[in-house]
Amino acid sequence: MVHLSSFLLKKYHGGHVVIRLALGGATNRPFYRIVAAYNKRARDSKYIEQLGSYDPLPNTQNEKLVAFNYERIKYWIACGAHTTKPVAKLLGLAGFFPLHPMTVTEAERRQKAALTEEVKTDSQQQVEQKEAL
Amino acid sequence: MLRALSRSPAPVVRLLSPRTAVWVETVRGRKSRTDPKAKSKLGRIKTPPPVDPVEMVVLKERYTEYNLILRALRLEFKEQMLRKKYEEEVGSVAEERTKREEEEHRSLMALNDAENLRMHKIREQRMQKEAEAEELKKREADILRQQELENYIKEKERQILQLQEEAKDFITLDNLDQRIEEALDNPKNYNFAIDKEGRVVKRTAFQR
């Protein structure tokens, strides 16, 4: 593996800044840091700045904690940083961005699935009742 | 037929026809290039998940709206940042900063001057005291020197007087004969013994 020293890694060809989740934590216990990093860097390696964190496992109050540094996020987006899908979804849920279309569609799909399940169980109950009679 | 299809707008084609079934034939995972396909997977044709056209239309609309809003947000953030930068460097913030710095500088200079004055006064006092001390020392040194000179003179005079007194007993050419006769007449005998307690014994062993 070629280990380039820092003064060789100053400029990437056609790279851009990304706001993404960097994974940390331990086995069976993930923890994400919301991070501004260059696109070509490894997921967990040196980043430019940490802009927040996201804990995917719910805590004792059944909440998933997310932290954002809105000032710095504004700065990086103004400088032309892209966001990845999960970061965009989280920001949408937080209210900083508009709600991501996929969150809405996923919610709709789940609602529809729940409805069909209900209808199915209702119809099953009806059939059972008829048979019992 | 193909040309007609290609001339028709692309999203309609994508919406109505399913995506091509076989998108990627092989994906490198656990197996190397030469490993054969697993027996259970020989007749498998991978198909992508089915797309609901109604949902797709709605999704496309939502996406265009979302992208529009995002783009607008991005440009607004950029404008805000540029304005902030401008203000900091050129505008009101810079002026306030220069004013504050000037005031700080003035106050600091005033403090410095006060400190310098105080130290100057202290130094003046110290120098005075030192000058007085030096004068005292000089005077004392002078006195000492004077005294030493006088002592020296007195000592010399005493020595001179002593010498004068001794000179009376000197042997000169005139006294020479007289003194020789005197010396021959009184022979001095240095033969004596003395013990630790200071008893002098003049008479020694019997002499011939």
Side-chain angles (χ1 to χ4, degrees):
Chain A
M1 201 187 80
V2 179
H3 214 74
L4 300 168
S5 53
S6 59
F7 60 83
L8 286 174
L9 283 173
K10 272 255 162 77
K11 263 254 143 79
Y12 287 102
H13 298 292
H16 51 89
V17 181
V18 200
I19 303 177
R20 62 189 184 189
L21 300 170
L23 178 62
T27 323
N28 291 324
R29 208 296 176 218
F31 180 81
Y32 295 97
R33 284 165 288 151
I34 298 160
V35 134
Y38 280 115
N39 178 36
K40 298 289 182 188
R41 281 270 188 188
R43 180 194 66 192
D44 295 337
S45 83
K46 195 160 100 152
Y47 49 79
I48 306 173
E49 192 182 349
Q50 183 175 354
L51 305 167
S53 61
Y54 166 56
D55 184 7
L57 300 187
N59 67 0
T60 46
Q61 265 82 16
N62 206 20
E63 324 165 313
K64 292 187 189 174
L65 298 172
V66 184
F68 286 117
N69 186 354
Y70 288 129
E71 279 292 326
R72 295 307 293 169
I73 292 176
K74 261 198 246 184
Y75 169 78
W76 281 115
I77 293 190
C79 290
H82 298 192
T83 50
T84 51
K85 204 156 54 123
V87 172
K89 284 190 176 173
L90 279 172
L91 283 167
L93 284 172
F96 191 66
F97 276 8
L99 253 191
H100 196 94
M102 282 318 286
T103 26
V104 183
T105 35
E106 292 279 322
E108 282 176 356
R109 282 177 192 169
R110 250 181 271 129
Q111 278 177 4
K112 242 195 283 182
L115 254 177
T116 47
E117 279 273 334
E118 266 190 52
V119 167
K120 242 201 259 178
T121 46
D122 280 342
S123 63
Q124 265 187 5
Q125 280 179 0
Q126 278 183 5
V127 164
E128 280 172 16
Q129 279 176 359
K130 274 188 196 160
E131 278 181 9
L133 284 172
Chain B
M1 167 85 158
L2 281 167
R3 259 191 235 160
L5 272 174
S6 64
R7 264 200 230 122
S8 59
V12 174
V13 169
R14 279 216 206 114
L15 281 175
L16 294 178
S17 68
R19 261 186 257 153
T20 46
V22 182
W23 187 244
V24 180
E25 282 184 17
T26 44
V27 176
R28 286 271 149 256
R30 240 166 63 127
K31 295 190 166 176
S32 78
R33 210 159 52 100
T34 49
D35 287 340
K37 217 165 172 186
K39 271 180 270 180
S40 60
K41 300 280 189 295
L42 280 175
R44 186 173 178 228
I45 306 169
K46 282 189 268 186
T47 52
V51 174
D52 187 14
V54 180
E55 204 191 39
M56 188 47 104
V57 170
V58 175
L59 248 187
K60 286 273 169 198
E61 273 185 36
R62 283 191 189 142
Y63 260 112
T64 44
E65 204 186 317
Y66 179 75
N67 288 331
L68 195 82
I69 298 174
L70 267 190
R71 194 149 178 277
L73 268 178
R74 203 183 276 273
L75 292 171
E76 200 181 311
F77 291 157
K78 194 163 183 178
E79 199 202 324
Q80 276 184 15
M81 199 189 73
L82 285 171
R83 183 159 296 158
K84 234 195 287 182
K85 236 181 172 177
Y86 176 77
E87 291 258 296
E88 260 186 72
E89 282 170 18
V90 181
S92 51
V93 180
E95 282 180 33
E96 282 169 22
R97 215 195 311 150
T98 45
K99 245 196 281 174
R100 241 187 298 134
E101 279 176 10
E102 254 183 85
E103 280 185 42
E104 262 191 72
H105 183 75
R106 244 180 278 146
S107 67
L108 284 171
M109 288 299 282
L111 269 174
N112 196 18
D113 286 332
E115 188 71 22
N116 281 351
L117 257 177
R118 192 174 68 92
M119 294 305 285
H120 184 72
K121 282 196 193 121
I122 289 172
R123 208 189 318 130
E124 288 267 285
Q125 284 181 4
R126 200 171 14 103
M127 298 289 267
Q128 251 188 352
K129 278 188 201 149
E130 277 181 10
E132 282 168 15
E134 264 195 56
E135 268 203 54
L136 258 174
K137 256 200 237 172
K138 243 204 299 185
R139 267 184 240 141
E140 281 178 11
D142 273 336
I143 290 166
L144 265 172
R145 237 186 303 130
Q146 280 260 338
Q147 277 189 354
E148 277 195 22
L149 201 69
E150 284 170 15
N151 288 352
Y152 179 71
I153 287 169
K154 273 190 203 148
E155 183 71 28
K156 286 290 168 194
E157 282 178 359
R158 193 182 61 82
Q159 281 182 5
I160 286 168
L161 284 170
Q162 205 187 12
L163 199 66
Q164 277 180 347
E165 284 189 27
E166 283 178 10
K168 291 176 193 159
D169 283 335
F170 279 175
I171 300 174
T172 58
L173 281 168
D174 307 332
N175 297 351
L176 189 64
D177 298 326
Q178 218 183 346
R179 291 299 274 273
I180 287 171
E181 283 182 35
E182 268 182 50
L184 286 170
D185 285 338
N186 318 335
K188 264 210 140 172
N189 189 9
Y190 293 104
N191 273 341
F192 66 91
I194 186 163
D195 69 351
K196 282 190 199 170
E197 279 140 37
R199 289 182 288 191
V200 178
V201 175
K202 270 272 158 70
R203 173 98 197 271
T204 52
F206 185 66
Q207 277 190 18
R208 264 233 181 195

